Each structure stands twice: as C-alpha cells, then as structure tokens.
Amino acid sequence: MLTLLKFLTESPPSHQFVHIDFQAAHRSVNCKIKRLIDIAGALVGIAITAIIAIPLAIAMQFDNPGPIFYSQTRCGLKGKHFRIWKFRSMVVDAEQKKHLVENQASGFIFKNENDPRITQIGRILRCTSIDEFPQFWNVLKGEMSLVGTRPPTPDEVASYESYHWNRLRVKPGLTGEWQANGRSSVKDFDDIVRMDMDYQHKWSPLYDLQLIFKTVSVVLTRKGAY
C-alpha cells in the first residue's frame, strides 16, 4: 500500500522512464481483437497441454517424483493477484532451497543459469518453454494474455519503485517483448521494465502476432533459454 501511495505522489526519474498514469489501463486491455486472439490461442494451447500432460507426468515420476503442476500467486493487471500454473520444472522443495542459490540477475527478478533445483525434465521443459503451457488456462480465464508483461510475484511488487507500476497497466502475458527479444539473457530488471514500456508504445494486434511468431522462432532455436 505504501508503494502504491508513493506511485500516486511521485514521478519516475526523467532519464529512465516516461511517466504514465497507472490508474488508466492500457488500451490493449479492452481490445476485442486481442481478446479473440487470446481465446483462439488458449483453446489450441489447452488441447496441446492435455495431450502432453500424461507422458510428462510419467517422466516426472522417474526423474523427481511429485506433482506435475506448480502454482504460485502472481500479480496481474493493476497488481491484482491471481494463481499462475506451470508444469513443475524444479524439485518439490525448491522454494525452501531458494536461499541457497545465487541470484545472477539485478533487481526484482531471480535468475541462475545453473540453478541446481531444476530437474532433468525441467531443463527440457524450460528450454522449450513447455513448462508455461498450463498458463493457457490463465489466458482463457482472462487473467493473462498471449502477449503482455512478465507476471511478477507479490514480494517483487512490494519492492517496486513508483515507475515500475507502469508495467502493470497491461495484462501479463505468456510471451512479450522481453521473451521475444532477450529471454533469460536479459538479467537487469530495469531493462525488462524498459522493454515492457516499449511494448506498450508499440502495441497493436498485428504487433502481438509478430511477437508470437518471433517467440516461436526463439524457442525453436533455444536462444537465451535456461
């Protein structure tokens, strides 16, 4: 709450970001064409997810027994909480071991190129982005979009500076500017915020489609993935 009050009373550093009224949702949020693309993509994605879920569940039990899905609370449009779903790519007690892993990123993100908590199956899931497929359900529900910003965790948002809130004017996405143009190779949070703001300036339904196709290309070449 204190962070939100700071946002309403402060302006972001002029040399870093252009101030945008956080109270006003981005025009993409109410675009019917974008929503139709989301629904169509989500239905296809859910069908694929259902097909691969059973063989993945079997493989996981041989690799690291435990649940097939992993869920976590994330912040969506205007900071609203929702539960995100993924195929589990880490050991069952990964959260309890997080403090043992070095954070190689800067700012309000956590990245480690050789995170020991990631299972063998998990590395394959992450390199191919298959671990993200259950989020098609979040897209269908309207909590996410196919294209948007990376959905942050509540503890990340609690530490935001006022100008960081601007990235939450759009729905979080399965992919976005960051995933299509850098992926895990971008390790500075402020760089991610700049890319998120750049997406808001460039946005159109056609640009969304361009980012989707570019993401597919990036995933197939495994560029910037770990």
Side-chain angles (χ1 to χ4, degrees):
M1 180 61 70
L2 290 176
T3 304
L4 182 56
L5 290 174
K6 285 176 61 182
F7 174 84
L8 296 173
T9 57
E10 296 179 3
S11 296
S14 59
H15 67 283
Q16 286 186 325
F17 300 95
V18 176
H19 181 73
I20 296 177
D21 180 12
F22 175 69
Q23 298 302 313
H26 189 266
R27 65 186 187 281
S28 63
V29 174
N30 297 313
C31 178
K32 293 181 179 180
I33 295 176
K34 181 178 176 69
R35 182 57 184 155
L36 287 175
I37 294 173
D38 283 347
I39 292 173
L43 291 174
V44 173
I46 289 172
I48 297 174
T49 302
I51 292 171
I52 64 177
I54 293 178
L56 268 180
I58 295 172
M60 284 183 185
Q61 299 315 305
F62 283 102
D63 181 20
N64 184 263
I68 181 175
F69 295 109
Y70 168 78
S71 68
Q72 188 180 42
T73 299
R74 295 292 182 96
C75 295
L77 179 66
K78 294 189 176 183
K80 182 179 179 180
H81 288 193
F82 72 101
R83 184 161 293 277
I84 201 172
W85 293 92
K86 293 185 177 185
F87 283 126
R88 182 173 61 87
S89 62
M90 289 188 172
V91 295
V92 175
D93 57 349
E95 286 298 321
Q96 288 71 33
K97 294 181 177 180
K98 184 176 181 179
H99 68 284
L100 301 175
V101 183
E102 178 189 3
N103 186 10
Q104 297 174 342
S106 301
F108 309 125
I109 53 172
F110 189 93
K111 294 287 179 183
N112 185 289
E113 190 170 353
N114 297 298
D115 195 325
R117 299 173 300 163
I118 301 176
T119 64
Q120 292 182 9
I121 294 296
R123 293 201 178 278
I124 297 173
L125 295 178
R126 289 191 170 207
C127 285
T128 57
S129 292
I130 291 176
D131 62 318
E132 310 281 355
F133 276 34
Q135 291 170 40
F136 281 113
W137 175 247
N138 294 113
V139 174
L140 187 63
K141 290 174 66 180
E143 297 166 333
M144 294 180 64
S145 176
L146 292 180
V147 185
T149 188
R150 172 189 167 273
T153 59
D155 61 308
E156 290 172 354
V157 172
S159 301
Y160 273 9
E161 298 293 335
S162 58
Y163 51 86
H164 292 148
W165 281 87
N166 289 322
R167 67 192 300 268
L168 301 181
R169 292 181 60 225
V170 301
K171 287 184 180 181
L174 271 171
T175 188
E177 198 78 36
W178 168 62
Q179 293 93 329
N181 296 302
R183 224 174 166 191
S184 294
S185 62
V186 181
K187 298 180 181 179
D188 189 303
F189 178 69
D190 278 347
D191 287 339
I192 293 175
V193 175
R194 290 186 184 94
M195 296 175 85
D196 286 336
M197 298 309 300
D198 192 37
Y199 166 73
Q200 293 186 30
H201 290 303
K202 292 180 179 178
W203 178 82
S204 71
L206 180 59
Y207 189 62
D208 271 2
L209 292 175
Q210 291 175 348
L211 286 179
I212 290 171
F213 289 126
K214 188 169 185 178
T215 300
V216 172
S217 175
V218 167
V219 169
L220 291 177
T221 58
R222 298 175 63 179
K223 183 178 180 181
Y226 58 79

